[in-house]
Amino acid sequence: MSTITLSSGHQMPIVGFGLWKVNNDTCADQVYNAIKSGYRLFDGACDYGNEIESGQGVARAIKEGLVKREDLFIVSKLWNSFHDQERVEPICKKQLKDWGIDYFDLYIIHFPISLKYVDPSDRYPPGFTYDGKNVVPGNASIQETWTAMESLVEKGMAKSIGISNFVGALIMDLLRYAKIRPATLQIEHHPYLTQEGLVKLAQAEGMAVTAYSSFGPQSFLELDMQRAKDTPLLFDNPTIKSIADKHKKTPAQILLRWSTQRSVAVIPKSNNQGRLAQNLDVTSFDLSTSEIESISGLNRGLRFNDPPIYGVNQPIYV
């Protein structure tokens, strides 16, 4: 499997399995089947609410001898409610316990948003609200949170640490004080939102970029998002379909190869065993320069994963 060498020295698979919106009742089986299909990176998060089940799928695969723990690259994320320095280590420990593992290969700040602490015994995962209704900001700076993240590496709880949903100015500021530089930047990235300048900045600073929602609006139709429903599917785009026909690949494979060929990692998910295999096979062929440029030319600056769209007044992208 193709990998990216992180600034921490560790190898990260360029294709992984994303656990966002994977239902609890099927999650363990999906993780287990993905491992059987050859997946080794699993991208989870506190906010996804399925880390226990994800860990069950991993444990089953290890018990049956399909893989060893060190064969896997397990990613999780620090949620907004736990940004205070004294909250970072305890919540990471809880997440490790939920997964049934001793360390994360990569632990990421999910959003550059500090929210008021919610005790996991009261509600978990807490989501964006403090009391189920109101979004209450916290007081932690990113520097405070990043310092706590660095201690996770020093204590062996995370091999690498990274960031997600950060913009250029925040990255440049973080790099001024980081003792351990972010190994990765995870962002929404698809032909409708290419973020070329942000990708260039991150890679120039030694950060591997991981794309989420590689299929654009497709990922958000399940959420009944009007913006997604109003946007033509990338799978049906004539440019994408034409390139797929030429290479005898699916539109999904073309969209994923558009990223991986530019050294951007991807984390698609699928319930279908056939598509699982197809999504993994996105490094065995190459697109031409003109094909990559024509796909990038579909850019609209169209973002779907933006907190205000969900009614959360945290406009981090303005």
Side-chain angles (χ1 to χ4, degrees):
M1 178 181 292
S2 297
T3 62
I4 296 174
T5 302
L6 303 181
S7 59
S8 58
H10 298 287
Q11 298 290 318
M12 182 180 78
I14 200 167
V15 182
F17 187 91
L19 293 162
W20 181 44
K21 299 191 278 85
V22 175
N23 294 334
N24 295 75
D25 57 346
T26 62
C27 184
D29 285 340
Q30 284 186 250
V31 169
Y32 172 80
N33 287 328
I35 291 173
K36 284 186 73 174
S37 296
Y39 286 82
R40 294 296 178 261
L41 185 152
F42 291 87
D43 182 83
C46 154
D47 191 52
Y48 302 165
N50 55 16
E51 293 197 290
I52 291 175
E53 294 81 2
S54 298
Q56 290 169 347
V58 166
R60 179 183 168 195
I62 292 174
K63 183 178 180 181
E64 292 184 10
L66 297 179
V67 288
K68 298 176 181 177
R69 169 63 184 95
E70 56 266 30
D71 298 329
L72 300 175
F73 193 100
I74 296 178
V75 183
S76 192
K77 305 180 187 74
L78 176 77
W79 185 243
N80 311 330
S81 311
F82 309 108
H83 276 213
D84 297 311
Q85 188 161 9
E86 70 273 16
R87 307 295 185 187
V88 173
E89 183 177 330
I91 200 62
C92 184
K93 284 182 177 177
K94 172 181 167 41
Q95 291 177 260
L96 287 169
K97 183 179 178 182
D98 287 349
W99 273 92
I101 58 178
D102 298 324
Y103 65 89
F104 287 120
D105 294 275
L106 175 63
Y107 195 59
I108 297 172
I109 296 178
H110 204 149
F111 282 96
I113 298 172
S114 170
L115 297 179
K116 188 174 180 179
Y117 174 69
V118 176
D119 193 303
S121 64
D122 292 336
R123 190 174 75 254
Y124 189 85
F128 274 102
T129 63
Y130 172 66
D131 52 7
K133 297 178 182 177
N134 301 297
V135 178
V136 181
N139 296 315
S141 67
I142 292 172
Q143 183 171 4
E144 175 184 337
T145 305
W146 189 253
T147 300
M149 294 283 286
E150 290 172 329
S151 74
L152 300 179
V153 177
E154 294 161 0
K155 294 176 182 180
M157 299 170 66
K159 290 192 172 184
S160 302
I161 49 177
I163 52 180
S164 179
N165 299 306
F166 276 52
V167 295
L170 288 179
I171 293 171
M172 293 171 71
D173 184 63
L174 187 156
L175 292 175
R176 298 294 183 270
Y177 53 76
K179 294 177 182 176
I180 301 175
R181 293 165 70 90
T184 66
L185 168 68
Q186 188 173 127
I187 55 172
E188 180 179 347
H189 181 67
H190 46 74
Y192 287 153
L193 184 68
T194 58
Q195 303 204 76
E196 291 172 7
L198 184 58
V199 171
K200 184 177 180 180
L201 169 66
Q203 292 180 336
E205 292 292 348
M207 281 172 259
V209 177
T210 298
Y212 68 76
S213 301
S214 294
F215 304 143
Q218 186 75 32
S219 304
F220 298 88
L221 291 175
E222 299 171 43
L223 304 179
D224 200 34
M225 182 184 290
Q226 192 60 47
R227 179 176 294 190
K229 290 191 284 188
D230 292 342
T231 305
L233 294 179
L234 283 165
F235 289 164
D236 296 333
N237 182 275
T239 297
I240 303 297
K241 291 176 70 175
S242 169
I243 295 171
D245 289 343
K246 178 181 175 182
H247 289 273
K248 296 182 171 55
K249 300 292 182 181
T250 67
Q253 288 174 301
I254 297 302
L255 291 168
L256 295 174
R257 186 56 178 147
W258 170 75
S259 287
T260 61
Q261 195 167 324
R262 294 177 297 113
S263 299
V264 174
V266 292
I267 45 173
K269 74 176 178 76
S270 179
N271 303 330
N272 179 283
Q273 205 68 26
R275 284 195 294 273
L276 273 177
Q278 289 173 353
N279 289 347
L280 199 57
D281 178 27
V282 290
T283 58
S284 64
F285 65 98
D286 287 332
L287 303 175
S288 69
T289 300
S290 63
E291 288 171 336
I292 290 175
E293 290 174 351
S294 65
I295 294 171
S296 298
L298 300 174
N299 184 40
R300 302 181 177 189
L302 184 57
R303 187 184 305 277
F304 298 98
N305 193 34
D306 191 357
I309 294 177
Y310 305 110
V312 176
N313 187 26
Q314 296 289 306
I316 57 176
Y317 298 116
V318 295

